[in-house]
Amino acid sequence: MQRLKKIYLEKIVPSFMEHFNYVNIHQVPKVQKIVINRGLGEMYQNSKILNLSIDELSNISSQKPVVISSTRAISGFKVREGMFIGISVTLRRDKMYAFLDRLVSLALPRIRDFQGLNIKGFDGCGNFSLGLTEQLMFPEISFEQVIHLQGMDITIVTTSKTDKEGRFLLKELGVPFSR
């Protein structure tokens, strides 16, 4: 069993039931999934960078990403219908808890001048989104293999109904928020 899942079941669920006065254990919010997105930007024409980006994201998430293609042509961005414009990974269950544990304990502390995540990343329904500017903060990525620095968007989807519940859940899981 993953470390964060064990912490959730043993410590967070009882504290949630006490703090929010829940009667049933199924009312307690939980992390449903984590979605990692990476847009290719102007490098959509280079298939080598697409393959390297797929390899990096699969090393980070331990799951093969899905390549996203454009649904329509946009001439202002020189995008044609069917071009590969991004990659995405959806993590659930044990892989989700393993990624969240690595993100909180290894990757975020490696960011230079890190002061915590902005609370404004909540969407009103308890889901949290954050953007990372580079992939070098993950220990799975070696500096020598990186050709181009690319960021990624990470969305943590919870079953909570309000931002207060979502913030309490993520703070108990160890996500560092700024003051």
Side-chain angles (χ1 to χ4, degrees), residues 36-144:
I36 307 167
N37 293 315
R38 174 182 271 181
L40 296 177
E42 295 178 2
M43 293 154 307
Y44 60 86
Q45 298 169 345
N46 192 346
S47 65
K48 182 179 179 185
I49 292 184
L50 174 68
N51 292 334
L52 286 173
S53 188
I54 288 172
D55 291 340
E56 285 178 358
L57 210 56
S58 64
N59 285 340
I60 290 171
S61 64
S62 68
Q63 183 172 314
K64 188 172 186 222
V66 175
V67 179
I68 300 170
S69 59
S70 63
T71 56
R72 58 183 167 187
I74 303 172
S75 63
F77 295 111
K78 299 179 184 174
V79 174
R80 292 189 182 94
E81 187 175 341
M83 283 183 136
F84 301 129
I85 57 173
I87 52 178
S88 176
V89 175
T90 302
L91 301 172
R92 299 176 197 272
R93 298 182 191 89
D94 286 340
K95 288 184 181 182
M96 169 189 68
Y97 282 110
F99 175 78
L100 187 60
D101 193 15
R102 282 194 322 258
L103 178 72
V104 169
S105 60
L106 295 176
L108 290 179
R110 292 178 68 171
I111 298 175
R112 184 186 308 173
D113 300 330
F114 182 67
Q115 299 294 321
L117 298 173
N118 194 353
I119 296 178
K120 293 181 181 179
F122 283 97
D123 66 347
C125 298
N127 305 323
F128 183 71
S129 297
L130 68 127
L132 302 176
T133 56
E134 61 184 30
Q135 69 270 33
L136 293 175
M137 64 190 67
F138 290 98
E140 294 90 2
I141 304 297
S142 68
F143 185 73
E144 293 84 24

